[in-house]
Amino acid sequence: MSRVVVVGASAAGLAAVETLRREGYEGAISLVGDEPHAPYDRPPLSKQILSGEWNPKRLPLRPYADLDALGLDLRLGAAATGLDTADRTVLLADGERVAYDGLIVATGVRPRRLPGEGPQHVLRTVNDALALRHRLGAGRRLAVVGAGFLGAEAAAVAAGLGVRVTLIEPAPVPLAHAVGAEVGDVLSRAHLEHGVDLRTGVAVAEVTEGGVRLADGTLIEAEDVLVAIGSHPNTEWLADSGLTVGDGLVCDAYCAAGPGVYGAGDVARWYNPLFGTEMRIEHRTHAAEQGMAAARNLLHPGEGKPFAPVPYFWSDQYDMKIQAYGYLRGHDEVAVVEGELAQRRFVAVYRTGDRVTGVLAVGMPPKAIRRWRQSIATGSTWEETVPAAESA
């Protein structure tokens, strides 16, 4: 193998190219990214960048000197528009074709949008974050559609800036699909205590010139609207490639999507043998871990290891530090094993079937959940691990 192409100058793409070099690969590496920026960190966009606490110059994941040391063919501002797996070439928007022996797809996702003629903000790129930041100020009105992690973080930052925030969520509580109703109620109370007008169990019909219109016809007036209702995996450029696409690039347990092609990061849907299911994870730590795994398995296809991580994510909202390990979606039971929900300082453990599959902590030190990570990683049963827990 003499040339590897990594499409996606992201956290996953950067981790992949660095791993290739660490593993001793000396061939050519092309790193292709559709943004003009070198790989940068995205979690601060909805926190430190939106609040104005950070200058965007702090976002790059590596200084250019470190990128230069990797000996990359760095192609920024060059979107991939097609893939020919027979000829093993990636087609770029400018018409150029980049040949590969091995390919890692790390093209990430893009935000979903709502119908309507009114302007709407999204929050995926540094330019998105800066555009919204410049609109926020005391007394202004912001409607945030979607109370997932991204929407909740942005609402918390805006409220801290004195913005009058309306947070709209179709589920009964924020993050109900992931953390459950009881933990979601804790997050709801935090928003309400900080002056956010939280509207749950309601749907948005459209974005208008003056705000958002709900499905029942109610108009929520706002100078700005942030839409945080999920994402679309960036897989359109793979449409005629012969690779399987379905809510992401479909990969096996080794992150392989086809001969010599691997997926990593937000765009990759792969089979995680630890949980016995396909998943697609949109969290920063996971992106780097999967980028490394994809690179190793690309270099050593006959000796590769299944990628079976315990996913990790975190979120900062108001004075709450939220941390979680595992796969919380579709859980059957939640138990608080330490602290109290009412105090917003607790550890909650999640059961799916007879196994411990997740743990979430709010306001607790990292060590409080590390032992639960081990229980998840080893497939410990609920009965042997959580004998004295009280269901939330």
Side-chain angles (χ1 to χ4, degrees):
M1 185 161 52
S2 61
R3 175 175 289 277
V4 173
V5 174
V6 178
V7 183
S10 56
L14 177 63
V17 298
E18 289 183 330
T19 301
L20 290 170
R21 293 304 190 209
R22 275 199 307 271
E23 294 286 313
Y25 175 73
E26 298 180 350
I29 302 176
S30 293
L31 179 60
V32 178
D34 61 348
E35 290 188 67
H37 311 291
Y40 62 88
D41 215 9
R42 295 187 191 275
L45 298 181
S46 58
K47 307 177 186 71
Q48 293 91 344
I49 296 298
L50 197 60
S51 69
E53 180 183 345
W54 278 20
N55 185 298
K57 293 180 180 179
R58 294 183 61 176
L59 288 175
L61 291 168
R62 300 290 184 273
Y64 268 101
D66 289 358
L67 294 178
D68 288 342
L70 293 171
L72 303 176
D73 169 27
L74 188 60
R75 297 169 182 248
L76 301 177
T81 57
L83 173 64
D84 188 328
T85 52
D87 288 345
R88 296 205 169 199
T89 56
V90 174
L91 177 64
L92 303 184
D94 62 5
E96 185 175 358
R97 292 181 177 272
V98 183
Y100 70 86
D101 298 311
L103 172 66
I104 296 176
V105 176
T107 43
V109 298
R110 66 187 184 282
R112 295 178 183 270
R113 294 178 181 267
L114 286 168
E117 299 300 320
Q120 51 186 286
H121 295 271
V122 293
L123 199 49
R124 176 64 183 176
T125 70
V126 62
N127 292 340
D128 293 336
L130 292 175
L132 180 56
R133 186 181 80 178
H134 293 321
R135 298 282 298 173
L136 301 180
R140 291 186 65 83
R141 296 170 298 179
L142 173 69
V144 180
V145 185
F149 287 111
L150 184 65
E153 289 174 355
V157 168
L161 295 173
V163 177
R164 294 159 56 191
V165 180
T166 301
L167 180 57
I168 305 163
E169 169 59 44
V173 294
L175 292 167
H177 64 287
V179 304
E182 294 81 5
V183 175
D185 184 62
V186 172
L187 305 180
S188 294
R189 285 186 276 114
H191 289 299
L192 295 171
E193 289 174 12
H194 285 82
V196 171
D197 180 6
L198 177 63
R199 311 271 187 110
T200 58
V202 296
V204 171
E206 63 175 346
V207 178
T208 71
E209 289 294 336
V212 295
R213 192 174 304 281
L214 304 183
D216 65 4
T218 302
L219 177 65
I220 304 296
E221 296 183 349
E223 284 83 19
D224 293 282
V225 176
L226 171 63
V227 176
I229 57 173
S231 61
H232 296 284
N234 289 324
T235 56
E236 287 76 11
W237 67 286
L238 302 172
D240 299 320
S241 67
L243 300 177
T244 303
V245 172
D247 186 33
L249 175 62
V250 178
C251 305
D252 64 14
Y254 298 85
C255 304
V261 181
Y262 290 73
D266 297 1
V267 73
R269 171 170 291 278
W270 95 108
Y271 178 80
N272 187 333
L274 179 60
F275 297 89
T277 188
E278 286 188 346
M279 55 181 67
R280 186 173 65 81
I281 305 293
E282 295 184 29
H283 296 301
R284 168 68 177 81
T285 303
H286 169 83
E289 291 177 348
Q290 194 166 28
M292 291 187 285
R296 293 191 187 103
N297 288 342
L298 172 63
L299 286 180
H300 312 289
E303 308 166 11
K305 295 181 179 180
F307 182 55
V310 177
Y312 170 76
F313 66 84
W314 79 94
S315 179
D316 295 317
Q317 300 175 30
Y318 308 108
D319 58 350
M320 297 185 299
K321 180 72 173 184
I322 304 168
Q323 304 172 79
Y325 284 106
Y327 193 64
L328 281 56
R329 292 174 182 266
H331 61 267
D332 298 313
E333 184 179 355
V334 186
V336 176
V337 296
E338 187 175 348
E340 296 182 14
L341 291 173
Q343 301 299 319
R344 291 206 288 268
R345 183 178 173 81
F346 61 89
V347 176
V349 182
Y350 293 73
R351 174 182 68 81
T352 304
D354 65 348
R355 286 183 49 190
V356 175
T357 52
V359 59
L360 179 143
V362 174
M364 302 292 281
K367 65 180 181 181
I369 62 172
R370 283 178 185 148
R371 74 180 184 92
W372 294 103
R373 181 194 181 283
Q374 183 63 21
S375 297
I376 298 167
T378 56
S380 298
T381 67
W382 183 263
E383 184 175 351
E384 68 186 8
T385 311
V386 198
E390 297 182 2
S391 296

